[in-house]
Structure formats: structure tokens, C-alpha cells
Amino acid sequence: MLLNSQSRRTFMARGCAATAALASLGHGTIGRAQSLVVPSRLLCSGPPGSIPDILARRVAEQLNARQAQGVIVDNRAGAAGQLAVAALKAGPGDGSTMLLAQGAIASVYPFLYPKLAYDPATDLAPVSLAGEMTLALAVGPAVPESVANVRDLVAWMRASPKQANVGSPGTGTLPHLLEAMLFREAGVPWQHIGYSGGPPAVVDLLGGQIAALILPEGLFKQHKQAGRLRVLGTSGAQRTALLPDVPSLVEQGYADLVVREWFGVFMSGRVAASVVDATSQALQAAIAQPALAAALAESGMVATSSTSAAMAARIASEQRYWRPVIQTLGVKAE
């Protein structure tokens, strides 16, 4: 697209102002350049109270402590994160809008959705990783108390196929794919129930509307401690610090089921590379704060930042992994 001289001047002025302001964030200073930047908006792919929401608000807090203009969290839950991506794509391309979402929107969805409404390669600009966590499999009151591990659950599901309904925060999310991988390997029938995020799925699990649920482990800890549900396994290579008494799926015979959910910050693919890099530096400084790491640990998250290039490399690596897996599972989403 060709720009006239006035448009070029406007574009360059916005890019320079945003770059200067964001660079100042990394030093914890408030300079004149910051007053030239409109307040930032951080779109979030999850509903209030969800893991992405918790992460987004913690990151926003740290950014707000380092700049004059406020970063506002804007929840756009639904369609497994695609509504948030649509909002980013439709928004301005000046770097004033960011998106915090699960990495699956770039690494998994291209192979899962036949008619994806965006192209991760051109519509999304990776900025920085933000956090990662282990998933967990939990059962509620719909499952007999005698079910104490994954082997027991598989046996119960095989004997009670009409009750073998398992929830996830949405079709095509990593929890959903982990369910498909687990129960395919176990050779047991099951029905997937998708929700618009983790919190409503937990409500139905506790109410007995669904038998089991896979979510980030942090969403189960409080309910597990209160005896309202049982966590049967986690998806890391070994047990986690948050739930040390829960065996991993690897321990229970599923050696290949190591899946960790991660979240990152994206910008529109129209944003200048200099603005993306400056924002990445600001995010790395914010995520490195001990207060943020401590707060995330309470929810089972590990604060993780990166350069834009490192995040792009991780996306490419995971695309190579998930393409054949999804083809094997035969999972498709509309």
C-alpha cells in the first residue's frame, strides 16, 4: 500500500512516539515522549477470573507501575480466543493495542480450523512470552469416590459411556487436545463439552453436570483443598510444586503426554517492528519483577518472558509438533 506524504509523516510520528515511550518503560522513567502515546489496551482471550485474565492483570499492573498512561485490560472471551484475535485485527496498527492469549492461537489453530479468520503469519506479531503452566485432570461429584487415578477413571468411563463427558475451556484449546490424546490412547469413549473459558466449566464440574475437566492446575487447587473435587493427574514431565501429591500422566503410564500451556503477548501484524521490539523490552522488564512471579505462582503459573524472535521460534517449533498430532486425532473445529 502506498502512502501519501502526509500519511507517511503521520505513520512515522506515531511509530517514533510509541517506540520512545515504550523504551522509557524499560527504565522505569516517565518522559515527555510517553505523553504522546494513547493509553494502551491489553486484550485478553479469557473471561474475568480465568488464567489468561489473571496473567493479563498482573502484567498490566507491572506496566502501569512504570508508565504515566494506563494499560487497560479488555476481556474478549469466546471462540477459544478467536474473538480477542478479531478485536486485535480490527484495532489500530499503531501499537496502542496488545493481546494476551494462549499460544495455541498461532501454533495450533492453523491446523485445527478449516476457515480461520486470520493468518498468524501476517495478522499477529509475537511480542513476548508471558507465562506457562501445567494442565491437570480433575473429576467432580459425578464420578464415584472410588476413582482415585487415571486408570480408575478410564475403567469407569468404559463402564459408564453415557456419563463420560469431559469439559474444556473450548474446542481446540490445549486442554481439549490433551483430552483427545489421553482418551484416544486409553481407547475409551468420551464426549467433549466445550465452555467459553475455565470458570464456567469448573462450576459445572462442581455441580455434577460434567464428569471430568482438564484445565490449568491453578484453577483446581482451592477446590481440591476444600474436598470439592479430586485431581487425578498433571501434564508435566514430573510432579509440580503446586500439586506435589498428584502424580503426572507420565507416572501413570502415558509417557508421551507432556503438554504445557503457555501464553504470550501479540500485536497486530501491521505494527512497525521497532514498536514491537520496544514493547518486548518493556514486557521483559515487567515480567522479570519478583512481585509478578510470586503472584503468578499462587495460580500455578511460571512467569516467562522472551524476545519477539524467540517467541516466533517457539511458535514455529510447536507448529511442527501439532500439525501431525491434530491430523492423527482428526480433530476439527468450526
Side-chain angles (χ1 to χ4, degrees):
M1 179 178 68
L2 296 178
L3 300 176
N4 58 36
S5 59
Q6 181 178 359
S7 296
R8 284 198 296 271
R9 287 195 297 272
T10 301
F11 178 83
M12 292 177 67
R14 286 180 178 175
C16 291
T19 301
L22 285 167
S24 71
L25 293 184
H27 299 289
T29 61
I30 299 174
R32 178 179 176 276
Q34 284 181 284
S35 65
L36 303 177
V37 180
V38 296
S40 296
R41 182 169 59 137
L42 180 57
L43 298 165
C44 175
S45 63
S50 66
I51 289 294
D53 177 69
I54 293 170
L55 181 55
R57 293 185 186 280
R58 294 299 187 183
V59 170
E61 286 175 4
Q62 292 301 320
L63 288 175
N64 287 339
R66 290 165 173 76
Q67 66 172 338
Q69 304 285 3
V71 176
I72 302 169
V73 176
D74 184 354
N75 296 90
R76 296 297 183 95
Q82 293 185 75
L83 295 186
V85 176
L88 179 71
K89 183 179 177 181
D94 60 1
S96 61
T97 301
M98 302 177 287
L99 165 66
L100 189 147
Q102 58 272 34
I105 65 170
S107 61
V108 174
Y109 291 6
F111 317 116
L112 192 69
Y113 290 88
K115 298 179 181 179
L116 199 61
Y118 62 91
D119 182 352
T122 57
D123 294 326
L124 296 175
V127 182
S128 172
L129 298 176
E132 58 182 323
M133 67 212 68
T134 301
L135 303 176
L137 168 65
V139 296
V143 177
E145 293 186 7
S146 58
V147 173
N149 52 47
V150 175
R151 180 177 294 180
D152 292 344
L153 176 63
V154 167
W156 177 81
M157 292 172 67
R158 185 171 286 114
S160 310
K162 293 183 178 180
Q163 298 172 267
N165 46 14
V166 186
S168 83
T171 300
T173 59
L174 253 61
H176 174 214
L177 294 178
L178 179 58
E179 291 167 7
M181 295 164 71
L182 172 62
F183 298 127
R184 182 181 188 277
E185 184 170 338
V188 65
W190 67 294
Q191 295 84 42
H192 173 244
I193 309 295
Y195 292 83
S196 59
V202 172
V203 170
D204 276 6
L205 179 70
L206 297 176
Q209 280 74 42
I210 55 176
L213 175 62
I214 290 183
L215 284 178
E217 60 177 346
L219 292 179
F220 293 137
K221 182 180 178 181
Q222 179 182 356
H223 300 296
K224 176 181 180 295
Q225 291 175 335
R228 291 188 288 267
L229 54 76
R230 286 157 287 149
V231 180
L232 305 185
T234 55
S235 69
Q238 57 274 322
R239 299 190 184 201
T240 68
L242 191 72
L243 300 174
D245 60 329
V246 178
S248 67
L249 296 176
V250 172
E251 284 183 71
Q252 300 183 66
Y254 298 94
D256 296 328
L257 295 189
V258 177
V259 175
R260 283 176 62 81
E261 179 85 275
W262 64 272
F263 296 87
V265 176
F266 300 83
M267 280 184 162
S268 166
R270 294 176 284 123
V271 176
S274 59
V275 176
V276 171
D277 290 340
T279 307
S280 180
Q281 292 175 24
L283 284 166
Q284 290 173 60
I287 295 169
Q289 296 305 306
L292 185 141
L296 295 185
E298 296 179 2
S299 300
M301 284 184 278
V302 177
T304 307
S305 65
S306 72
T307 64
S308 172
M311 182 174 168
R314 179 161 184 172
I315 290 171
S317 175
E318 294 206 355
Q319 285 180 343
R320 291 191 293 271
Y321 171 81
W322 284 110
R323 182 195 291 268
V325 169
I326 291 173
Q327 289 176 342
T328 299
L329 292 175
V331 176
K332 290 294 181 183
E334 299 296 334

